[in-house]
Amino acid sequence: MERVIVVGGGLAGLRAVESLRSRGYEGGLTLVSAERHPPYDRPPLSKAVLAGETDDTTVDADWDALGCELLLGERATGLRLDAHGLDAHSSDARGGVVASTAGDLPFDGLVIATGAVPITLPGDGPQHVLRTIEEARDLRSRLTGGARIVIVGAGWIGAEVATAAARRGCAVTVVEAADTPLAGALGPEAGALTAPWYAEAGVELRTGVKVAEVRDGGLVLAGGGRIDADEVVVGVGVRPDLSWLEGSGLLLERGVVTDGSFRAYAGAEEPGSARPDVVAVGDCAAWWSARYGRRLLVEHWDTALNAPDVAAATLLGQDAVYDAAPYFWSEQFGRMVQYAGSHAASDRIVQRGDPSGRKWTAVWLTGDRLDAVLAVDRPRDLVQARRAIAAGAPVDAEAIADPDVPVRQAVRR
Ligand code: FAD
């Protein structure tokens, strides 16, 4: 390969650039990103940036040493794949052109790392979302003492914004359509365990409330009624923005569909149509997980950090498969909340410690297999359980329910 284009300048894009170079790629390298900033970390946006503790989350990178041309503030608008490339086994199955606001960018290797954009609600009233540093700074300036802040969505972002707003003296209401916070991410049983944290922080949590639209001055609810607000913040999830890939021939669903090595499919999801020259990674990729026997679309920092190395190896023709168990964390209401694994197919949840207490852990099991862990201010549990999940090791269900027994001792050898 002589020319690789990376589209998207978030963490995944940067990591792809770094991995390509560290794996010995010496050809041309260009990163094109719609934002005007070099890659920066997003997790602090809803934490330290909103709290006013930092204003710059740029990820350290020596772009000169990386030998990477940066096209910032430029957007990819289309993708034309080399027709020969439709046969992934043909020797000339390489290349194409990214159409962009900076002109046509020919490539023989392409990394798609365009992340995701927040979903917004209907209505013509002003609504804040939180994805970029500008949005974080703008929102922070509005979190002033006494301001009525209404947050739609008691997910990860909603909980973190509520934490910051309450700390800054705002009157905070969180409106959630499901019956518990984090119902989508953790399921209702585990999600319910986080509900008391809201009242404890002085935040009003209204669950089972659906929003019809955002209007000037607040929300209109689906069943009638309104909630008045000085500022409305919407944290109801994200979706990959794949509009620039439409018509390219790549298989797009909720994310760019890839195999376990992040090769994008040109056509049906079958080995013969996986492109060796086009990889997708980070929040925009729906990749095949052999571990779970299904596609995963993981919108979390750890995947954006680690998966691009596999994508870079793939692009360079090296054998690599990504099969990590997902991991993420959240800092909310003074707690460090960490989750690893996947409980989608688990048969039960087991408490480890009293969830009405300050520190506790919950684990999900199928038979004696540990599927997932949720640790609240118990980082050691997280680390040890994450290791057991990665290894697929069986555990003693009685021992793992005892918070005084280290998780590693509950693992059967
Ligand atoms: P992104 O960071 O979205 O980067 C994609 C980049 O591509 C963007 O700069 C975008 O502008 C650009 N782009 C998009 N379309 C185009 C185009 N057509 N042409 C050119 N450029 C384009 N995860 C955790 O695990 N824990 C946390 O505590 C946590 N907190 C978070 C807090 C916030 C406020 C947010 C927003 C996210 C948080 N995350 C957290 C998630 C984590 O930050 C993301 O998973 C990660 O940023 C994904 O990186 P990415 O590079 O795939 O995508």
Side-chain angles (χ1 to χ4, degrees), residues 38-66:
Y40 58 90
D41 259 334
R42 295 188 203 279
L45 300 184
S46 48
K47 306 172 184 72
V49 174
L50 280 192
E53 291 158 9
T54 184
D55 205 29
D56 181 3
T57 69
T58 309
V59 184
D60 263 352
D62 185 340
W63 294 97
D64 288 337
L66 285 168

Side-chain angles (χ1 to χ4, degrees), residues 7-14 32-35 40-47 74-77 113-117 130-132 157 160 238 241 244 281-284 298-302 304 327-331:
V7 183
L11 182 62
L14 164 61
V32 48
S33 186
E35 290 187 77
Y40 58 90
D41 259 334
R42 295 188 203 279
L45 300 184
S46 48
K47 306 172 184 72
E74 306 286 0
R75 181 171 282 278
T77 53
T114 43
V117 290
L130 187 48
R131 187 78 191 175
T132 66
I157 298 285
E160 292 189 353
V238 295
D241 176 3
W244 71 281
V281 75
D283 280 14
C284 69
V298 179
E299 294 146 347
H300 295 298
W301 187 89
D302 184 70
Y327 162 74
F328 60 85
W329 83 97
S330 167
E331 293 160 43

Side-chain angles (χ1 to χ4, degrees), residues 281-367:
V281 75
D283 280 14
C284 69
W287 44 279
W288 179 256
S289 164
R291 172 185 295 274
Y292 297 112
R294 63 189 159 89
R295 261 186 242 143
L296 295 184
L297 194 151
V298 179
E299 294 146 347
H300 295 298
W301 187 89
D302 184 70
T303 310
L305 181 76
N306 292 310
D309 188 45
V310 169
T314 301
L315 216 49
L316 298 174
Q318 300 159 4
D319 279 340
V321 171
Y322 190 73
D323 206 16
Y327 162 74
F328 60 85
W329 83 97
S330 167
E331 293 160 43
Q332 47 182 277
F333 306 112
R335 293 164 172 88
M336 172 60 95
V337 180
Q338 294 168 291
Y339 177 99
S342 167
H343 63 271
S346 301
D347 61 28
R348 67 197 191 283
I349 180 169
V350 173
Q351 286 302 325
R352 202 177 134 73
D354 176 5
S356 65
R358 183 78 207 169
K359 302 177 179 190
W360 51 268
T361 294
V363 294
W364 284 264
L365 302 173
T366 300

